[in-house]
Each structure stands twice: as C-alpha cells, then as structure tokens.
Amino acid sequence: MKKTWLLLLLPVCLWAQNDSLVNSKFKDAVHLREVPRHNWVIDLGLTEATGDYADIARTGLNLGAEYVYYVNKNLGIGAAARHQYNEFAYLDFQNSDTVNSTDNNYSMTSVSIGPSLSLTKKRFQIDFFARSGVAFLNNPDNLVTQLGVGNTQVFASDQTSSSDAAAFLEGGIRLNYYFRRSVQVFFAPQYSTTLGKPITYTIRDNDSTAPIVPNTSIRINASNLLLNLGIKIAIGKEYSNGECRIDD
C-alpha cells in the first residue's frame, strides 16, 4: 500500500521540483529587482547660480559624496557632503564703467542628511532625494566701483553682517543605469540653497551730494542649480530584501 502511494505522489513531487527550477531559472537577477543595502555615491558637475545669487555669482564647479542606506527597495536614508564654488561677477558689470574690482570667488561646503525614494525597472533606477543640513561659506571680500553721472557708487561685500554658516537645503533626481552589477552611472540635476540670506552686500555713494542713500544693504542666499554626472557603487553584496548578489 505504501509503495502504491509513493508511486502516486512521485509525479507530483517531480512536477513541483521542475516548477521550482523553472521559476529559479527565469527569475531576474537580484540587482535588477532590488536595491543594494549600502551605497556609496560620488558626483561632479557644473554649479549655476540662480535667483538673487545670480546677480553676484556665475558658473562654477561642485564635488559631492554620499552614503545611502536602504530600508527597503523604495526608501533610503542618505548622508552627504558637498563642496561647490561660483565665480564672482556683478550683474551690472557689463553695463557700467567699472574702474576697480577685486575678484574673489565664492565657495561653500555643506553636510546634510535626508530621505531618498527609489523606483527600479530592470537596469534603470530613479532616485528622488531631499536633504537638509548646514553650509559653511567663505565670505569673500569683493568690491566694485562704478562711475555714474555726478557720483561714484561702491558695491562692496559686508563681512561684518555676513555669516560664516547657514542652514542648507538640497534636493534633486538621479537617473541611474547599471553599468555593472555593483556599479551604476547617473545624471543628476539638483537644486541647493542656503536659508536666512547669509551673504550681505552694501551699496554706498562716495559723493555725499548724490541722491543715492548711503549704506543700503542687500542680503542674498547662495542658491545653485547643479548638473552632475557620477557613479553609485554597491558596498557589499547584500540587497534591501536580504538577498545577496551572486557574481559567479
């Protein structure tokens, strides 16, 4: 009787084993389904001043690094550091008779932390991220003297009223593509800005008879559009669902 039951169950067992092998064979590799648990991100690109900051700053460069830990395949937490600079240039420079200018570029180093939302489709991955933190600024000593009709106007940085540090926000999108199983390459447009307008300039008139009010202050945030290229490297073989990548 036992032999009869074994003969009856044998086809069922063989079918189940075969079905398991088929599913295993056609199941996508883990790096096409999940997100690495630990990631190291490095990027480099252009820094373009925006808003009021574009009145005193021009294009520069930036370099960033970030560690991202994924809780699951869609949600990660990132901690980043970034250094960026912009060249100094006064908006009315080309439209005025400038007789004196010191050219000291702006630089800013920031540290921030925040969430990352990721969507994965085969070899493609999109990351939406936002972070907050603190930025440290160099507050350069810049001066522009303009000759006007009957007066000389001075546009100068006010280092006394400017701040060396400020609250900082940044956010953007990473468009990733798996170059290798553990390496993604990406393009990332993003936006960053200080809060509290830490950069101060003073407009004063060297001719006391002129109608311009002396010592008019202008306060500005350091706001930039960043266009970066970079790589995202998986640290270790563990993925967000606990699976490990097989590199054989």
Side-chain angles (χ1 to χ4, degrees), residues 161-183:
S161 300
S162 296
S163 301
D164 294 328
F168 176 79
L169 293 176
E170 66 177 343
I173 303 173
R174 272 193 300 265
L175 305 174
N176 307 274
Y177 176 78
Y178 271 106
F179 176 69
R180 300 186 63 180
R181 293 181 181 181
S182 60
V183 179

Side-chain angles (χ1 to χ4, degrees), residues 133-193:
V134 61
F136 304 94
L137 302 94
N138 68 331
N139 286 323
D141 184 12
N142 286 318
L143 174 71
V144 175
T145 303
Q146 297 176 290
L147 294 178
V149 179
N151 70 291
T152 300
Q153 183 178 338
V154 177
F155 182 84
S157 57
D158 186 345
Q159 292 180 309
T160 302
S161 300
S162 296
S163 301
D164 294 328
F168 176 79
L169 293 176
E170 66 177 343
I173 303 173
R174 272 193 300 265
L175 305 174
N176 307 274
Y177 176 78
Y178 271 106
F179 176 69
R180 300 186 63 180
R181 293 181 181 181
S182 60
V183 179
Q184 299 176 60
V185 293
F186 65 80
F187 169 67
Q190 61 191 81
Y191 177 78
S192 71
T193 184

